[in-house]
Amino acid sequence: MTYDFKSYHIRSIKAENEAERAVINQELKDLYASLSVEEKAVFNEQLQTFLVKEMATIGSEYAAVKSQLHNNN
């Protein structure tokens, strides 16, 4: 099974308040709790991959903005 972490991430970003964000987080926790041991391993691996990719994207965007700001000064 492939888990769509990006949809949860986007929903969380667009959440109007902390209560809505908490509901989304609880959905993920409930999903995880419902998985077998083997499925939890797959879930964790896919989550780690998603997080690494997101952090790399953020790092690249930060470097681009920092470079742009440096060039404008």
Side-chain angles (χ1 to χ4, degrees), residues 55-66:
M55 291 302 293
T57 300
I58 290 168
S60 294
E61 290 174 359
Y62 174 78
V65 169
K66 187 175 177 181

Side-chain angles (χ1 to χ4, degrees), residues 3-10 28 31 42-48 50:
Y3 300 97
D4 187 9
F5 294 109
K6 188 165 189 146
S7 68
Y8 287 100
H9 181 64
I10 290 171
L28 268 174
L31 171 61
V42 172
F43 180 98
N44 289 333
E45 184 178 316
Q46 289 181 21
L47 178 57
Q48 286 179 339
F50 173 76

